Amino acid sequence: MPKVVTFGEIMLRLAPEGYLRFLQAERFCATYSGAEANVAVSLANFGIDTAFVTRLAENEIGQCAVNYLRRFGVGTQFIVRGSGRTGLYFLEKGAGTRASKVIYDRAGSAVSLSSSKDYDWDSIFDGCQVFMLSGITPALSGSLSEICLQACEIAQKKGITVVFDLNYRKKLWTAEEAGRTMEKICRHVDICITNEEDASLLFGIKMPQKDFENLNLDGYRDVAGQLAARFGFKKVCITLRESKSASVNGWAGLMLDSDGDFYISKKYEINIVDRVGAGDAFTAGIIYGELNKMPAQKQLDFAVAAGCLKHTIEGDFNMVSADEVMALAGGEVGGRVQR
């Protein structure tokens, strides 16, 4: 049975070739995407037995999504099929001073039509050690919001570690709606993943002004401590991104662990190939470290390195091995040819 279960929506991603704008595109490259699916694929590539749970359209496009996950070794035995459609998102990759752009087309998707009877959590969680979901999934419908809460409650009762990425998306719902829903879910979460904006927007916990050169560690430690005290989180992990342009970013991370100790990773300067999915790669790295009982600093360094490598991979999935992440976290940053 899977050690890790993730729950969410997998979408068809359609993107113009290279750096073409939507208005220039005559053809689109089709891949699959979704925060929780991205995490599942990353962990499968790390050698972790992982299953992805969702509800998909009962047609060939839905089957393509199932087949795509199977290609990477992700368990699909708990995927439900039914009415509705496969959600889409369109990605225009930015370059230099031109930002990337995402357009969602996911209303009426099969997973948004889920009901609680679609998911037998007792069977799904058999043998599970970690359950992961994000704040994107409860945004998709009222029924999914209740299902996410129910799943977290059941996982908590079974002693399963619950990992939740706040992942607020303003195109899906308001900060007020998201805050009310996530307030309930977070009370059943062990490890919270967030960034410098979401804690402020959702819970009114103000992050310090971000300055990579003079990072306000005391301010971030205070924010992480407030989150842990409010919800009982065992760990709070914060991603830090410095957007110098759409092509060049700084990338790092912070962690408050269960002992109240605070850690910071080194900073990476990244020339971006594909920015989408880096936070999900970070989350997968945290889960991998948790399963392997890594010390907190090593766990954080692994997660940040995983997110760094994802920036260099086309598509949403992080197609790297645990050994490659370990090498980067250990200092192999030159990009020399491996012979």
Side-chain angles (χ1 to χ4, degrees):
M1 300 303 289
K3 289 184 178 179
V4 179
V5 170
T6 73
F7 174 55
E9 179 174 33
I10 184 167
M11 296 175 289
L12 182 61
R13 163 178 150 166
L14 299 173
E17 295 174 311
Y19 293 92
L20 292 177
R21 304 214 68 186
F22 288 136
L23 295 174
Q24 296 173 286
E26 296 181 350
R27 59 185 64 87
F28 290 80
C29 178
T31 54
Y32 286 86
S33 170
E36 295 87 353
N38 296 345
V39 172
V41 171
S42 282
L43 288 168
N45 285 331
F46 295 160
I48 301 298
D49 188 3
T50 307
F52 176 65
V53 181
T54 193
R55 185 176 183 275
L56 280 168
E58 198 164 13
N59 58 32
E60 289 83 355
I61 303 302
Q63 188 61 44
C64 284
V66 174
N67 294 349
Y68 202 76
L69 290 166
R70 287 175 177 165
R71 183 190 309 181
F72 303 109
V74 174
T76 60
Q77 64 269 41
F78 302 118
I79 291 179
V80 179
R81 307 297 291 276
S83 61
R85 55 183 287 251
T86 300
L88 307 177
Y89 95 87
F90 297 83
L91 173 67
E92 179 184 286
K93 289 170 63 176
T97 55
R98 177 172 59 83
S100 296
K101 182 178 291 186
V102 168
I103 298 174
Y104 290 122
D105 179 14
R106 60 203 301 183
S109 65
V111 74
S112 72
L113 303 178
S114 295
S115 69
S116 59
K117 66 182 180 181
D118 286 326
Y119 308 103
D120 180 356
W121 294 110
D122 285 331
S123 296
I124 292 168
F125 286 147
D126 184 23
C128 177
Q129 296 178 34
V130 177
F131 175 54
M132 180 268 161
L133 73 166
S134 82
I136 296 173
T137 304
L140 300 178
S141 70
S143 62
L144 266 182
S145 176
E146 292 301 319
I147 291 166
C148 288
L149 178 58
Q150 178 190 42
C152 290
E153 289 172 343
I154 293 171
Q156 184 183 53
K157 288 177 182 176
K158 290 180 176 291
I160 297 167
T161 298
V162 179
V163 179
F164 186 56
D165 183 349
L166 295 183
N167 237 348
Y168 170 61
R169 294 289 185 269
K170 65 182 180 181
K171 289 188 176 182
L172 297 178
W173 54 353
T174 68
E176 291 74 18
E177 292 171 320
R180 287 194 298 270
T181 297
M182 294 195 207
E183 180 92 23
K184 298 175 184 177
I185 291 173
C186 282
R187 301 198 179 280
H188 306 281
V189 169
D190 298 291
I191 299 175
C192 174
I193 314 289
T194 186
N195 58 36
E196 72 271 10
E197 296 177 354
D198 288 354
S200 175
L201 288 170
L202 300 176
F203 306 126
I205 299 174
K206 299 298 182 184
M207 287 283 187
Q209 188 69 30
K210 185 174 65 176
D211 177 356
F212 262 88
E213 302 306 319
N214 301 286
L215 204 60
N216 182 355
L217 290 181
D218 287 339
Y220 278 99
R221 182 198 297 265
D222 179 64
V223 166
Q226 287 187 58
L227 285 167
R230 181 166 173 174
F231 297 109
F233 299 140
K234 295 175 182 176
K235 289 183 179 178
V236 177
C237 305
I238 300 170
T239 57
L240 296 172
R241 181 182 297 280
E242 182 183 31
S243 294
K244 297 181 178 180
S245 72
S247 304
V248 179
N249 280 190
W251 173 255
L254 307 168
M255 176 193 287
L256 179 73
D257 73 1
S258 55
D259 295 323
D261 295 322
F262 199 61
Y263 301 87
I264 181 171
S265 77
K266 64 183 175 183
K267 173 190 170 186
Y268 294 94
E269 293 282 345
I270 306 169
N271 293 308
I272 295 174
V273 172
D274 193 318
R275 184 192 180 290
V276 181
D280 305 323
F282 175 88
T283 298
I286 292 295
I287 293 171
Y288 183 83
E290 199 70 15
L291 291 170
N292 286 279
K293 296 180 169 53
M294 289 181 180
Q297 185 67 61
K298 186 175 181 181
Q299 181 182 25
L300 176 63
D301 290 342
F302 183 91
V304 171
C308 177
L309 286 172
K310 170 59 201 72
H311 287 85
T312 71
I313 309 293
E314 287 277 6
D316 283 44
F317 292 169
N318 197 20
M319 305 307 299
V320 297
S321 68
D323 287 344
E324 289 174 308
V325 178
M326 287 287 194
L328 178 59
E332 294 185 20
V333 297
R336 294 175 64 90
V337 176
Q338 296 181 1
R339 303 183 190 277

